[in-house]
Amino acid sequence: MFRRVVTPLTSFARLAAQPSPHVFTVPRLHSTNTHVPPLKFRVLNFYVIAPIGNIEHEMNCHRQVLVSMNMFGRVYVCADGINAQVSGVIESCDSYEDFVTSRFPSQQIIFKRDLAPEHAFPTLKVKAKRLVPFDADLGQRGISLSPVQWKQKLDDIAAGADNTVVLDVRNSYEWVCFFRGL
């Protein structure tokens, strides 16, 4: 049994053909669904955990780029990094990804993308705000898990053999994957 965690805007025609039933990311492609008009906008989500020396300068750089590309959403910048949820036409989102990647060349940034029929946000807000609302050393990150390791971790939690807390904080426009057996 599968449980879907999706938005109605996402085409699964291409993704359903993926060999792994566990986890996959949204490819950086246009929709291949020929039954609906192509969606021209994208919602883009990412975070970067890396030291930011001059927060005000970083905010101004992002604001300038986003305004020039007619993108909307929110970008939070702090000494520990950046968290952003923005929307714009696909080409602008691709350009913004390139901009962010160029600002943090040593970071492996995971961009989450979802197609949309229009802007997902009414305005643009770029401001200084902590990435997490409590004191934490964001440099102390967990390890990445493969789909098999993730399933084992969930099984261990369900069996009471692991006290890890899994917190899903996705929005209605964010989705990740299918989970077998949940």
Side-chain angles (χ1 to χ4, degrees), residues 116-129:
E118 60 189 11
H119 273 292
F121 307 98
T123 61
L124 174 64
K125 295 178 184 174
V126 180
K127 64 182 186 176
K129 184 175 179 182

Side-chain angles (χ1 to χ4, degrees), residues 9-12 14 29-34 36-39 90 115:
L9 303 175
T10 307
S11 169
F12 287 96
R14 178 168 161 56
L29 300 172
H30 297 270
S31 172
T32 57
N33 186 342
T34 58
V36 295
L39 300 173
I90 292 170
L115 296 174

Side-chain angles (χ1 to χ4, degrees), residues 45-97:
N45 304 288
F46 69 90
Y47 65 90
V48 178
I49 298 177
I52 307 278
N54 186 334
I55 296 169
E56 199 65 37
H57 174 72
E58 195 68 30
M59 287 172 28
N60 289 335
C61 289
H62 284 263
R63 185 179 296 110
Q64 183 178 18
V65 167
L66 291 165
V67 167
S68 73
M69 293 189 286
N70 195 34
M71 293 181 68
F72 301 122
R74 69 144 184 89
V75 178
Y76 296 152
V77 181
C78 72
D80 295 319
I82 298 175
N83 182 314
Q85 287 78 44
V86 295
S87 67
V89 295
I90 292 170
E91 295 78 14
S92 293
C93 287
D94 289 345
S95 295
Y96 184 56
E97 281 186 36

Side-chain angles (χ1 to χ4, degrees), residues 15-31:
L15 299 175
Q18 299 281 337
S20 171
H22 300 289
V23 178
F24 48 84
T25 59
V26 180
R28 190 173 176 174
L29 300 172
H30 297 270
S31 172

